[in-house]
Amino acid sequence: MLEALEGSQAIARAIALCRPGVVAAYPITPQTHIVENISKLVADGKLRTELVSVESEFSAASVVLGASAAGSRSYTASSSQGILLMTEVLFNISGMRLPVVLTCANRAIGAPINIWNDHSDSMAVRDCGWIQLHCADNQEAVDTSIQAFRIAEATELPVMVCMDGFVLTHTLETLEIPAQDLVDRYLPPFAFDRMLDPHNPLSLGTLVGPEYFSETRHLAHQALSNAASTIVDADREWQSLTGRSAGGLLTVEGPADARIGVLAMGSVVSTFREAMDCLGAAPAKLIALRSFRPLPEDAIRAACAGLDHLVVVDRALSPGFGGIVGGEIKAALSGMNDAPQVHNVAIGLGGRDVPMEMWPRLLDVPQQGGGFRILDLEPAKLGEMS
Amino acid sequence: MTEMNDPRARQPRFRGLEAGHRACQGCGEALAARLVTESAGPDVILTNATGCLEVFTTPWPQSAWRVPWLHSLFENSAAIASGVEAALKAQGRRSKVIAMGGDGGTFDIGFQALSGMLERMHNVLYVCYDNEAYMNTGIQRSGSTPHAARTTTSPPGKERMGKRHLKKDLLSIIAAHHIPYAASASVAYPQDLRRKVRRAMEVDGPTFLLVHSPCPLGWGHDGSETIQVARLAVQTGLFPLVELERGEVASVMPLRHRVPVTEYLGLQGRFRHLFADDDHRAREEREHLQALADYNVERYGLDGDGDDPFDADGADTVRRGGPASS
Amino acid sequence: MPTPMNRGAFAQAGSSLAFKTGTWRSAKPVHVHATAPCHGACPAGEDQQAWLALLQEGQLQKAWESLVTANPLPAITGRVCPHPCESACNRGHYDSPIAIHAVERWLGDQAILHNWPYPRLPGSPRSERVAVVGAGPAGLSAAYHLARRHYNVVLMDAMPEAGGLLRSAIPPTRLPRDVIDAEIRRLMSMGIEFRPRTALGRDVTLDELRGEFDAVFLAVGAGKSRHWDVDGAVPADLHEGLALLREWLAVGAIPKPNAVLIHGGGNTAVDLARVMRRAGVRDVHVVTASGLPGPDTDTDDVLNVVPRELEQAIEEGVQFHPHRTINRLIMRGSKVVGVEMVRLKKLPDGNGRKSRVSFEGTETVLHVDMVVPAIGEVVDPTGLTAILAGRDFIDTDMFGTVAGHPGLFAGGDCRSWIKKLTNGTVSAAIGDGRRAAEGIDALLSGRPPAEENRPSLPFAELNLAYYEKSKRVQLPTLPLESRDDSREIEGGPDSAQALAEAARCFSCGNCLACDNCWTLCPDNAVLKTRETCSDGSHYLFDYEYCKGCGLCAAECPCGFISMVDDD
């Protein structure tokens, strides 16, 4: 049944369908509505979970770490500064191989303080060992949130579901919230064989010295790389149940013989889809990268086959280097026969609007040449800011 | 080997902390943790802040713990304990959660998480093993380091007489959370410590235990003197043993014979500069520490009136077959 | 094969046991069962700590059985022994010594009351026969210790009853006769053959005995008074102290001068002084070269008298003149009318020994009409001239062996003084009898004799934090006006008092089973055992894990744990 729901509300409903044992969160814009909606579901008796209203994001992450280790399906959500405050714990959760799910309502990072959307926060914790899945719209966010538990629990890796702040979290969309029995069929009850249990008293979080640390890193890398197939399988099965895919590792849209492609993550993908339909510009492919971690190198190469130019859209940047996704895609295509020329721009930083009109500008980037740049920069404003 | 293994398997007490851990000789914290887990019994889940205790008990692939144990970070023992407790509640399990940390992870960096845990009334016993400095990183001052003590970040010199500030009155801050039960204890009084652990275990809600645990390396005394030093801390009034219920003092261990603080200070290298003959500041700081002890005595009413089996002299009395006051 | 890394680096419970921290150690704790000072000081060889420990456990009969492994006559020694154990008791440095004598007496009385049988050592009957000459404390003790070891023992005495000076020299006010009777009767029932009225040199010769028996133990005592005079002067009507006491004990007769001076510093002097005082003698003076107990007197210079007897004597009006000797008798004809005394003291001389030095100018005169020497006795040489060879006492080693006379042993008051063995008390005689029995058993079994020799536990080795001060038991004594010549003056403790007193024992040098080592080991390297370990404790050190911190040794209340080098 289709409903018109605000993104945050839809996420809260999706999370509730997954029957988490423990939810811990600290409010931060633009994640706030998710926590508020979950709190309301709990208050109304529609969600039976231990809702821990912690005193910081740091503790929120710590609580779900503990709860997961103690054998409960655990969920948290945050944004921006909150994600950064969690950073230390995020590394811990993945290092301990705990299947936590986190919604990152993507937001810029200060200073200067800015509450609007870009990908600086999830990019800042790119290397924390979590699976990162990006959602193009709220239906994908709902479906991905449910899949996230399935993926996390199958791989014993934490999953960060990235959805753009405000653009998705605060936007009313018509979408389908799946039925409880369907979700129950899709998502088995939580089971964790390293659970803290007096009957089998394991020690979790031990000290590992130089003689074993490389092996732990290798195993973490291997686990995350191997998670790609689980992500694909989880989406495929979801599709068989609901008729909807949430985007696999990535999706490719547009004419098969297009010589130019655009690779993007998050809500701008929806904008570009719309633009492709409405503006009827030159034939181009749109590659929507859903799985940023693991970065699916093979799928990316396959998607780029036959392209002369690929424009990679970043929603954040690494100062002194350029676009983070761009850099990674260049690396992924390196050594590929007939690899497209990669062009990298950043757009929509700190909530700057990305309208449909951005689509032709992106397709124009290969003609302009040059290295990485912020495409929607307004040079006239630089005088005021410097 | 088998001869030795057999009696170990048949010990008439529960062992939460097994042999083979790598604490220094005479470690007060190891002893305190052993006593706490022993008194708490097997049906517990522990969380542990980063620190000596975590490091010396769990160098992978070994662990000295015989109860489920979780370590994450320096500053989040109370928060992960909150999560464990929430999960147990969600699952309908009744094991008690015990969060543990040193004074660094409790007084200082982990204080916020602790305060949050107490405020949310999690059913967790938080135990702080107080050895009065950051020992794991090599004896740096903490909020718990006593006034005038030498640490590597509060060294005495021409301009300084050790730590300039006072030991943080953590127990009063804990008391301000109005939790059901909070107490201070000492490794020198194991019966009292055990009783306090058992008392805390019975409470359904947050409880807090501050256990004075000498660090031979950091305090500069021989490993064999750990108990003697801890006992003097109590008998001088510098570390009062008290129990608080809902923030109010519910009981104290009275002092039958108050010992001058110099007897306590003189045993420890960290106070050696307070005994320099030619330094008037040394005398001043000794008097200051005595005044702080006197303040504690007055504040908690520690002076005993007559002999009492539960005062600082009576509480450790032994008799054939075991302790007298258990 | 290295351990394969697992998901999240988790570890199994208690897997640290694979890591043997014992290799860190440079010193290790060991159990050292040092001698409790009471034990070390006991002339009879009792281990008071051991039987007090059993009383602490509430094992009354076992406590008595432990006691009588050394001393078969606790009801007697509990009454008459000057208890050097209490002088040595470490508790004396803390509050006040355990009233060991009182507990011993009570325990001895309990054994009589309940007729607890004397236990024998394990073993089968021996064919050898041993003669014990003299049924005083030394003879009784030797007979008992031999009977315990399953020997055939014939005990003989010149008197019609066994007991020796217990009967002939100790007043019933100190040692009731029914107590002597009960202890000796019970002891004899171990199968000891008693031949009364059998005096050496009169009824039997030493050669006959040595022919008939595999070994002979001489415990004939010192029956002949030592010669006494003052610069050659001797009063015409001289009576020797022990003889007066014996006469009084036998027939109740005692001289009643107006003022008497008794010269001597032992129990005979004090017993006689009290008897004469109670008989109505107005002034009873005791002059002794020794000192009264107090800060001014070295321990080796104190009057050799049961301390409480001294107190009671003073209470009863006996006047003591310590650190004095008699310089001169003041005579009217052959009768004494007074003495001149001078002060003296035992002081170190230039040769590192101590000798008595009198101080000129301290002479005083005391007017008395009778002077009684009580300076001790020597062996009556009748039947022993070959052994004595002109000496006052028989020379032996500590096991009573008489050199040059195989199979012949001697002990008690008849043997010469041996360093470290206290002489002249009932307990010393009992100790002699016990060691002689060991010497005899060793000889007849063809092995060297053995005597326990362990270091004593100094007070400083105790950890006093674990003990509370407590008051020594106050024993009832007959009020002055009720004291007569027959009723026992000092009463014993009741059971509650005795057990409370036993509970005061520090357990010096032996495990108190307090759990401190087990409770305080940070490394879980002290294990508790249900069974008793070979060292008598219930604790084991697990040296695989012990790091050698020494905490257990420091916090052992009773000094049972020592740190030793461990290479």
Side-chain angles (χ1 to χ4, degrees):
Chain A
M1 190 185 86
L2 290 175
E3 295 180 64
L5 294 171
E6 189 206 47
S8 297
Q9 196 183 4
I11 294 303
R13 294 267 300 275
I15 296 303
L17 288 170
C18 297
R19 307 184 188 274
V22 175
V23 174
Y26 188 79
I28 181 170
T29 304
Q31 155 265 36
T32 322
H33 288 188
I34 300 175
V35 191
E36 288 173 353
N37 276 292
I38 289 176
S39 303
K40 185 76 170 95
L41 289 172
V42 171
D44 292 344
K46 292 177 179 164
L47 169 57
R48 300 216 170 274
T49 189
E50 279 301 316
L51 176 64
V52 185
S53 302
V54 286
E55 81 291 346
S56 69
E57 288 89 353
F58 174 82
S59 281
S62 299
V63 164
V64 293
L65 182 154
S68 181
S72 279
R73 180 169 290 152
S74 304
Y75 171 80
T76 185
S78 194
S79 290
S80 181
Q81 316 297 143
I83 293 286
L84 263 61
L85 189 55
M86 285 182 175
T87 307
E88 210 189 349
V89 190
L90 298 182
F91 276 79
N92 248 251
I93 290 171
S94 65
M96 294 170 71
R97 303 286 304 269
L98 297 173
V100 168
V101 170
L102 176 151
T103 301
C104 175
N106 288 104
R107 170 188 146 184
I109 288 172
I113 187 168
N114 174 296
I115 62 166
W116 294 275
N117 167 241
D118 69 24
H119 289 174
S120 300
D121 47 9
S122 59
M123 284 299 154
V125 294
R126 177 188 66 171
D127 299 331
C128 71
W130 286 52
I131 292 170
Q132 284 192 5
L133 302 176
H134 282 262
C135 308
D137 59 33
N138 281 337
Q139 185 67 61
E140 272 188 36
V142 164
D143 295 345
T144 299
S145 296
I146 296 166
Q147 289 182 21
F149 286 104
R150 167 97 175 226
I151 296 163
E153 290 159 26
T155 57
E156 296 195 345
L157 285 168
V159 177
M160 186 180 295
V161 178
C162 299
M163 63 189 293
D164 288 330
F166 292 112
V167 182
L168 295 185
T169 57
H170 287 55
T171 303
L172 209 66
E173 274 190 63
T174 307
L175 43 73
E176 184 170 305
I177 299 293
Q180 181 69 60
D181 64 334
L182 184 145
V183 175
D184 287 344
R185 255 182 294 146
Y186 178 74
L187 191 61
F190 189 80
F192 183 57
D193 64 5
R194 287 175 284 134
M195 177 175 91
L196 293 167
D197 178 6
H199 300 292
N200 179 29
L202 300 178
S203 297
L204 308 186
T206 63
L207 173 79
V208 175
E211 64 275 20
Y212 272 104
F213 198 74
S214 301
E215 286 70 27
T216 67
R217 296 295 85 186
H218 171 81
L219 290 173
H221 175 52
Q222 202 176 45
L224 212 58
S225 302
N226 292 344
S229 63
T230 311
I231 295 168
V232 171
D233 293 347
D235 191 40
R236 202 169 281 155
E237 191 176 332
W238 183 251
Q239 193 173 10
S240 73
L241 287 171
T242 63
R244 287 191 307 275
S245 161
L249 296 169
L250 54 75
T251 56
V252 185
E253 292 150 64
D257 58 349
R259 311 298 295 175
I260 183 166
V262 173
L263 183 144
M265 302 194 303
S267 62
V268 294
V269 168
S270 292
T271 305
F272 299 155
R273 281 174 182 151
E274 196 77 7
M276 286 168 81
D277 285 352
C278 300
L279 301 180
K285 283 183 183 169
L286 174 61
I287 303 171
L289 183 62
R290 180 180 180 233
S291 173
F292 181 60
R293 282 291 181 278
L295 190 75
E297 193 176 291
D298 293 343
I300 290 166
R301 286 182 175 215
C304 291
L307 293 180
D308 297 328
H309 296 279
L310 177 69
V311 180
V312 179
V313 175
D314 260 291
R315 303 288 320 281
L317 65 111
S318 171
F321 174 71
I324 299 161
V325 184
E328 295 205 354
I329 297 298
K330 279 180 196 163
L333 299 181
S334 163
M336 173 185 168
N337 287 334
D338 302 321
Q341 191 182 346
V342 178
H343 311 269
N344 185 202
V345 297
I347 56 172
L349 300 180
R352 181 157 297 184
D353 190 32
V354 180
M356 283 198 291
E357 289 70 25
M358 184 58 74
W359 177 247
R361 285 184 66 186
L362 287 171
L363 298 182
D364 203 32
V365 166
Q367 254 104 59
Q368 294 161 10
F372 167 81
R373 64 189 183 280
I374 299 172
L375 192 59
D376 49 1
L377 186 76
E378 297 182 30
K381 294 179 179 170
L382 288 175
E384 301 158 34
M385 301 280 288
S386 58
Chain B
M1 180 71 191
T2 50
E3 195 188 357
M4 294 304 286
N5 274 347
D6 196 28
R8 180 168 291 278
R10 291 189 296 131
Q11 289 303 286
R13 72 176 175 211
F14 174 70
R15 280 188 317 295
L17 183 62
E18 188 51 276
H21 66 69
R22 304 176 189 199
C24 301
Q25 294 163 325
C27 175
E29 189 181 39
L31 171 57
R34 213 210 74 213
L35 290 167
V36 166
T37 51
E38 200 167 281
S39 310
D43 193 15
V44 296
I45 295 175
L46 307 183
T47 70
N48 201 154
T50 305
C52 286
L53 181 64
E54 167 261 324
V55 170
F56 73 65
T57 57
T58 58
W60 191 90
Q62 291 158 7
S63 170
W65 300 100
R66 287 202 172 278
V67 284
W69 177 91
L70 175 67
H71 157 251
S72 168
L73 296 165
F74 192 9
E75 67 275 40
N76 70 355
S77 186
I80 60 176
S82 301
V84 171
E85 185 259 4
L88 295 185
K89 217 175 259 176
Q91 296 164 34
R93 288 157 73 192
R94 295 194 170 274
S95 304
K96 184 82 176 189
V97 181
I98 301 179
M100 308 185 293
D103 49 292
T106 306
F107 284 64
D108 297 344
I109 196 169
F111 180 72
Q112 174 182 320
L114 169 61
S115 178
M117 183 199 93
L118 299 177
E119 179 267 331
R120 293 187 303 270
M121 297 300 269
H122 289 281
N123 182 17
V124 176
L125 163 60
Y126 191 102
V127 182
C128 172
Y129 302 113
D130 185 5
N131 57 23
E132 303 189 324
Y134 297 109
M135 298 311 185
N136 194 36
T137 43
I139 319 162
Q140 292 83 28
R141 85 180 284 285
S142 78
S144 172
T145 302
H147 178 67
R150 181 192 69 203
T151 69
T152 55
T153 51
S154 64
K158 193 158 70 72
E159 301 292 333
R160 292 277 189 280
M161 285 300 277
K163 186 186 175 186
R164 282 191 290 168
H165 313 107
L166 301 176
K167 180 181 173 84
K168 189 192 277 188
D169 183 5
L170 183 68
L171 216 48
S172 293
I173 306 172
I174 299 298
H177 289 76
H178 291 270
I179 58 170
Y181 182 74
S184 53
S186 166
V187 289
Y189 293 92
Q191 300 320 308
D192 179 69
L193 169 59
R194 286 174 161 151
R195 182 181 62 75
K196 285 167 176 168
V197 172
R198 288 194 296 264
R199 171 86 178 81
M201 290 290 290
E202 285 164 7
V203 174
D204 184 13
T207 52
F208 180 86
L209 205 52
L210 183 66
V211 187
H212 205 225
S213 316
C215 169
L217 188 72
W219 295 13
H221 62 78
D222 193 81
S224 65
E225 295 174 324
T226 293
I227 297 297
Q228 169 71 353
V229 167
R231 185 164 41 228
L232 285 170
V234 173
Q235 292 182 342
T236 52
L238 282 173
F239 196 90
L241 300 189
V242 304
E243 290 177 286
L244 306 162
E245 296 192 17
R246 296 286 174 195
E248 296 296 327
V249 176
S251 88
V252 303
M253 182 186 283
L255 308 182
R256 189 181 301 183
H257 302 111
R258 279 181 64 192
V259 178
V261 295
T262 48
E263 285 195 30
Y264 171 66
L265 307 175
L267 279 180
Q268 303 171 61
R270 63 176 174 159
F271 295 113
R272 190 164 299 133
H273 57 286
L274 302 188
F275 293 90
D277 288 337
D278 53 352
D279 193 339
H280 72 279
R281 300 174 307 169
R283 164 94 194 264
E284 263 177 45
E285 294 296 11
R286 290 202 306 270
E287 297 284 355
H288 189 172
L289 285 158
Q290 182 63 57
L292 290 169
D294 295 346
Y295 169 83
N296 285 340
V297 170
E298 190 179 327
R299 178 176 169 202
Y300 287 109
L302 297 180
D303 275 331
D305 47 356
D307 296 357
D308 183 327
F310 292 102
D311 68 19
D313 274 26
D316 56 0
T317 297
V318 295
R319 63 178 174 211
R320 185 164 301 280
S325 64
S326 58
Chain C
M1 248 320 259
T3 311
M5 176 48 72
N6 55 31
R7 275 169 306 158
F10 65 91
Q12 297 290 341
S15 46
S16 59
L17 285 172
F19 192 75
K20 314 290 191 200
T21 50
T23 57
W24 299 5
R25 192 174 59 231
S26 60
K28 69 174 179 182
V30 290
H31 287 160
V32 175
H33 185 183
T35 303
C38 50
H39 179 26
C42 179
E46 274 179 43
D47 189 348
Q48 289 85 343
Q49 184 278 320
W51 56 260
L52 287 168
L54 288 160
L55 286 180
Q56 290 178 349
E57 290 174 5
Q59 305 204 63
L60 275 52
Q61 186 171 352
K62 281 217 163 58
W64 176 80
E65 288 174 354
S66 164
L67 196 168
V68 299
T69 56
N71 170 15
L73 306 170
I76 291 171
T77 50
R79 287 173 164 88
V80 302
C81 183
H83 49 70
C85 54
E86 293 184 22
S87 309
C89 176
N90 272 332
R91 186 123 205 167
H93 303 287
Y94 185 61
D95 43 22
S96 52
I98 315 291
I100 299 172
H101 79 279
V103 188
E104 179 183 56
R105 164 191 171 147
W106 170 81
L107 196 52
D109 288 351
Q110 291 291 308
I112 294 169
L113 183 68
H114 299 292
N115 200 25
W116 292 331
Y118 287 94
R120 286 168 195 267
L121 291 174
S124 47
R126 303 286 300 230
S127 58
E128 297 95 331
R129 302 177 71 229
V130 183
V132 175
V133 185
L140 288 166
S141 168
Y144 160 79
H145 282 286
L146 288 162
R148 273 181 91 223
R149 298 166 193 250
H150 310 282
Y151 284 97
N152 301 298
V153 185
V154 175
L155 176 63
M156 51 198 75
D157 198 277
M159 303 302 284
E161 286 180 296
L165 57 66
L166 298 175
R167 291 186 194 280
S168 68
I170 300 179
T173 49
R174 282 216 283 143
L175 180 58
R177 287 325 185 236
D178 57 347
V179 173
I180 304 179
D181 294 343
E183 294 250 272
I184 293 178
R185 186 180 63 244
R186 282 163 39 72
L187 190 150
M188 288 299 189
S189 70
M190 290 180 81
I192 296 163
E193 180 188 339
F194 182 56
R195 294 184 188 166
R197 302 181 183 86
T198 308
L200 198 63
R202 185 187 73 189
D203 306 307
V204 66
T205 67
L206 190 53
D207 287 344
E208 286 165 4
L209 289 178
R210 296 187 66 194
E212 183 185 346
F213 292 93
D214 296 288
V216 175
F217 177 57
L218 296 173
V220 294
K224 196 179 112 180
S225 291
R226 199 185 275 278
H227 175 76
W228 181 90
D229 66 45
V230 178
D231 276 347
V234 181
D237 56 344
L238 183 72
H239 294 279
E240 191 275 323
L242 186 61
L244 283 180
L245 200 56
R246 282 180 171 155
E247 195 180 319
W248 175 77
L249 284 167
V251 299
I254 196 84
K256 290 173 193 163
N258 286 322
V260 64
L261 182 155
I262 300 167
H263 186 203
N267 277 317
T268 303
V270 176
D271 282 342
L272 181 65
R274 296 178 70 186
V275 166
M276 292 184 82
R277 177 79 187 120
R278 279 201 295 273
V281 177
R282 194 191 64 221
D283 293 321
V284 178
H285 301 278
V286 174
V287 173
T288 170
S290 302
L292 297 181
D296 198 30
T297 311
D298 292 341
T299 45
D300 63 351
D301 195 26
V302 186
L303 217 60
N304 188 19
V305 172
V306 183
R308 60 187 185 278
E309 303 288 339
L310 183 64
E311 284 166 32
Q312 289 167 11
I314 292 169
E315 257 174 36
E316 290 164 12
V318 175
Q319 299 170 60
F320 283 86
H321 305 272
H323 284 145
R324 283 177 182 81
T325 191
I326 299 175
N327 241 3
R328 190 161 65 88
L329 292 178
I330 303 168
M331 313 287 286
R332 178 172 294 159
S334 64
K335 283 187 60 104
V336 173
V337 293
V339 297
E340 181 190 296
M341 300 186 297
V342 66
R343 286 169 187 264
L344 55 65
K345 210 164 183 188
K346 212 175 190 180
L347 295 171
D349 61 18
N351 304 321
R353 299 181 58 170
K354 280 182 169 177
S355 57
R356 294 203 155 102
V357 182
S358 59
F359 304 117
E360 191 184 354
T362 62
E363 298 82 358
T364 48
V365 167
L366 205 57
H367 295 285
V368 295
D369 44 16
M370 185 175 183
V371 172
V372 179
I375 57 162
E377 296 79 29
V378 296
V379 177
D380 182 344
T382 311
L384 287 171
T385 44
I387 305 296
L388 282 167
R391 297 169 187 269
D392 285 341
F393 298 98
I394 304 170
D395 284 344
T396 70
D397 68 5
M398 72 177 299
F399 294 101
T401 316
V402 182
H405 301 273
L408 186 64
F409 294 80
D413 283 354
C414 71
R415 72 146 162 82
S416 51
W417 186 83
I418 298 177
K419 199 169 182 182
K420 286 187 181 168
L421 296 184
T422 315
N423 242 11
T425 63
V426 172
S427 301
I430 289 170
D432 277 9
R434 179 180 59 79
R435 281 188 304 275
E438 165 64 13
I440 291 166
D441 182 35
L443 176 75
L444 298 181
S445 308
R447 61 171 175 87
E451 172 75 352
E452 188 181 82
N453 187 16
R454 292 183 279 122
S456 181
L457 187 90
F459 180 66
E461 298 287 307
L462 296 167
N463 189 331
L464 299 171
Y466 295 104
Y467 300 107
E468 290 236 44
K469 303 229 167 172
S470 66
K471 286 202 169 64
R472 178 181 159 104
V473 64
Q474 293 295 309
L475 296 170
T477 50
L478 275 185
L480 268 181
E481 59 277 13
S482 310
R483 294 183 195 174
D484 58 24
D485 290 336
S486 56
R487 292 167 66 189
E488 188 172 16
I489 292 172
E490 188 178 81
D494 61 30
S495 295
Q497 285 175 316
L499 292 172
E501 194 62 15
R504 294 178 68 232
C505 176
F506 281 160
S507 192
C508 300
N510 199 2
C511 185
L512 186 57
C514 68
D515 281 355
N516 264 13
C517 54
W518 188 58
T519 301
L520 296 175
C521 176
D523 302 314
N524 249 318
V526 178
L527 301 177
K528 191 171 181 174
T529 60
R530 198 166 304 148
E531 303 79 6
T532 308
C533 301
S534 55
D535 60 21
S537 80
H538 286 271
Y539 308 98
L540 283 177
F541 296 112
D542 189 341
Y543 294 119
E544 290 200 312
Y545 302 103
C546 169
K547 296 169 185 164
C549 69
L551 205 54
C552 53
E555 300 306 320
C556 176
C558 48
F560 185 56
I561 303 175
S562 291
M563 298 303 290
V564 296
D565 280 347
D566 186 27
D567 301 320

